[in-house]
Amino acid sequence: MEIWINPACSKCRSAVDLLDAEGARYTVRRYLEDVPSPDEIRAVLDRLGLEPWDITRTQEADAKELGVKDWPRDADARERWISALAEHPKLIQRPIITADDGTALVARSEEAVRDALSR
């Protein structure tokens, strides 16, 4: 399993602490330093079963500067959203865990982390 984190995020630190406490085997991806490509973002979205606007942090300064709240949320705009996430990784919701069963989830709660551990 892999977890995408921002070490400055308390939800990310809590998720890592829980994974450690449970003895989970995982790799950490500091996605602000090791920025996911558009293809990687598409793959994670497929695993999540979500669209890019579903994992976009719209309150971030970059999001406000880009005006993403006003962007269409449809198939025609999907690539624009994915490009924005790749170019501005701070906009990606965190933490994201890619589970061993091929799924992924946004693990912002203890329950979500435990769900990833059970997969």
Side-chain angles (χ1 to χ4, degrees):
M1 115 177 28
E2 181 176 78
I3 183 170
W4 292 10
I5 68 162
N6 172 353
C9 167
S10 63
K11 300 267 187 203
C12 292
R13 290 191 308 270
S14 293
V16 167
D17 288 347
L18 181 55
L19 291 174
D20 289 343
E22 294 295 323
R25 291 182 353 159
Y26 64 95
T27 57
V28 170
R29 181 171 187 168
R30 294 178 179 219
Y31 70 92
L32 297 179
E33 298 163 15
D34 182 9
V35 178
S37 69
D39 284 342
E40 290 174 305
I41 292 169
R42 279 186 213 93
V44 163
L45 288 167
D46 288 346
R47 291 175 79 169
L48 288 166
L50 297 174
E51 292 296 337
W53 45 85
D54 296 325
I55 65 162
T56 300
R57 299 172 57 83
T58 59
Q59 296 304 313
E60 291 286 333
D62 287 353
K64 290 178 181 178
E65 186 176 311
L66 292 168
V68 299
K69 279 191 170 183
D70 298 325
W71 290 5
R73 296 176 183 220
D74 58 28
D76 291 337
R78 189 172 199 265
E79 287 305 311
R80 181 181 186 192
W81 284 86
I82 290 170
S83 293
L85 293 173
E87 292 168 19
H88 305 276
K90 275 189 171 184
L91 299 182
I92 299 172
Q93 188 59 266
R94 62 196 184 245
I96 292 176
I97 295 177
T98 56
D100 292 336
D101 71 352
T103 63
L105 53 106
V106 177
R108 295 190 55 78
S109 68
E110 180 178 330
E111 180 179 279
V113 176
R114 290 193 184 284
D115 184 12
L117 285 167
S118 71
R119 293 180 182 200

